[in-house]
Amino acid sequence: MPAKSFNRSDRVSAELRREIALLVHGAVREHALPSVSVSDVEVTKDLDFATVFVTALLGDEGPEAVAALNELAKEFRRDLSRTMKLRRVPELRFRYDDSVDRGERIETLLRGGS
């Protein structure tokens, strides 16, 4: 089987996902934010921006948590610059990942509920 090639943005994305998940977990406890977890991180090819997708334990708390995380983004970026070996850490943008909510809604519809 041929080896799968990963480009730099994919490797940076994976590393950012691990590091940001730890930072978000700490922020949820420290700042009493709604419970969220990092589901994915997408980095632009030039590594200038990273879109961080988060899911909330309770779907209606998602927008509130995303707003709070976007306010903490500069602090997270500063922390990442100390822990990651990158010349320039991407600017972070948090977005709510509603795929879990959509999946649950589809499952409910398939079970015959409304």
Side-chain angles (χ1 to χ4, degrees):
M1 179 161 46
K4 185 174 182 181
S5 67
F6 290 101
N7 58 22
R8 181 171 167 83
S9 63
D10 290 340
R11 292 190 310 268
V12 170
S13 174
E15 182 67 23
L16 278 172
R17 183 175 38 244
R18 284 188 292 272
E19 295 293 330
I20 293 172
L22 295 173
L23 292 173
V24 167
H25 181 70
V28 164
R29 284 187 287 132
E30 184 177 325
H31 298 287
L33 298 177
S35 183
V36 294
S37 62
V38 176
S39 60
D40 194 20
V41 175
E42 292 179 357
V43 180
T44 57
K45 294 284 185 198
D46 58 4
L47 303 177
D48 282 342
F49 298 98
T51 304
V52 182
F53 294 96
V54 295
T55 58
L57 196 58
L58 301 172
D60 55 340
E61 295 179 343
E64 175 189 344
V66 168
L69 290 172
N70 277 318
E71 290 179 15
L72 294 169
K74 287 187 180 190
E75 183 181 327
F76 290 160
R77 187 176 182 198
R78 188 174 350 117
D79 292 342
L80 290 169
S81 71
R82 294 179 188 137
T83 59
M84 294 184 71
K85 294 181 181 187
L86 289 174
R87 183 174 292 167
R88 186 172 178 278
V89 174
E91 183 178 322
L92 303 177
R93 297 176 180 167
F94 288 88
R95 301 282 183 259
Y96 183 67
D97 183 4
D98 65 345
S99 62
V100 174
D101 298 337
R102 285 185 286 147
E104 288 175 357
R105 195 179 95 231
I106 290 170
E107 185 176 333
T108 302
L109 290 172
L110 290 174
R111 288 186 180 171
S114 54

